[in-house]
């Protein structure tokens, strides 16, 4: 609460990404969480975000936000002589499949559990890692205009 209140006092917008209703910021859609999420009355986060990105998997929402922010940054800092600027910035900030795979395996090795299955396995919200990599590839493809 202190972080959010401090941000509000300083007129900083609060952007949140969530996928299951229990993430900070999901209070923006708390009624929908109560109606559509199992145990939503118990697990629903009540703190609303100014801007909420609801995604099937929060990682996917984060990938999309990263790509969008990179494109806005590139547009704001565009050098008309450099047509590859957008591509370079997106590539610089969006994680690669290799990075995400290594990160997930390090998390599992450290004892982390999948948020849906509860098992120590290289899955993301109960889905095979490859499904997340497909999503990452698609976001990269769209952001790069391919």
């Amino acid at each position: 609460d202190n972080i959010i209140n401090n941000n509000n006092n300083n007129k900083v917008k609060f952007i949140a990404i969530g996928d299951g209703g229990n993430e900070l910021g999901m209070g923006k859609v708390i009624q929908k969480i109560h109606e559509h999420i199992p145990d939503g009355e118990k697990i629903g986060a009540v703190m609303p975000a100014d801007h909420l990105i609801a995604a099937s998997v929060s990682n996917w929402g984060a990938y999309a936000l990263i790509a969008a922010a990179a494109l806005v940054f590139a547009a704001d800092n565009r050098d008309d002589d450099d047509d590859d600027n957008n591509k370079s910035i997106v590539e610089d900030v969006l994680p690669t499949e290799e990075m995400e795979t290594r990160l997930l395996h390090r998390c599992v090795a450290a004892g982390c559990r999948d948020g849906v299955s509860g098992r120590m396995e290289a899955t993301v919200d109960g889905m095979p890692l490859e499904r997340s990599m497909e999503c990452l590839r698609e976001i990269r493809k769209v952001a790069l205009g391919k």
Side-chain angles (χ1 to χ4, degrees), residues 14 29 32 37-38 45-46 48 64 73 75 83-84 93 112-113 116 119 126-127 130 144:
F14 169 32
V29 292
K32 296 294 182 189
I37 302 291
V46 296
F73 179 84
D83 290 334
D84 292 330
V93 299
C112 294
R113 297 177 180 274
V116 172
R119 291 184 241 155
M127 292 180 270
E130 177 56 27
L144 295 175

Side-chain angles (χ1 to χ4, degrees), residues 10-92:
N10 293 312
K11 298 185 176 21
V12 174
K13 295 296 182 186
F14 169 32
I15 301 171
I17 303 169
D19 59 21
N22 62 323
E23 298 85 3
L24 190 63
M26 292 293 281
K28 187 167 184 91
V29 292
I30 193 66
Q31 283 309 117
K32 296 294 182 189
I33 291 167
H34 290 170
E35 293 170 19
H36 301 287
I37 302 291
D39 294 322
E41 297 275 344
K42 290 181 189 175
I43 63 119
V46 296
M47 177 72 65
D50 294 305
H51 304 284
L52 176 63
I53 299 171
S56 297
V57 174
S58 57
N59 299 27
W60 303 351
Y63 300 153
L65 177 60
I66 291 166
L71 291 173
V72 168
F73 179 84
D76 286 349
N77 295 282
R78 185 174 183 152
D79 177 355
D80 290 333
D81 295 330
D82 184 8
D83 290 334
D84 292 330
N85 189 42
N86 289 3
K87 293 177 184 174
S88 174
I89 292 172
V90 168
E91 290 294 355
D92 285 349

Side-chain angles (χ1 to χ4, degrees), residues 124-140:
V124 179
D125 284 352
M127 292 180 270
L129 176 60
E130 177 56 27
R131 179 66 191 104
S132 282
M133 296 305 94
E134 288 170 10
C135 186
L136 180 57
R137 282 192 291 274
E138 286 300 311
I139 290 170
R140 176 175 272 106

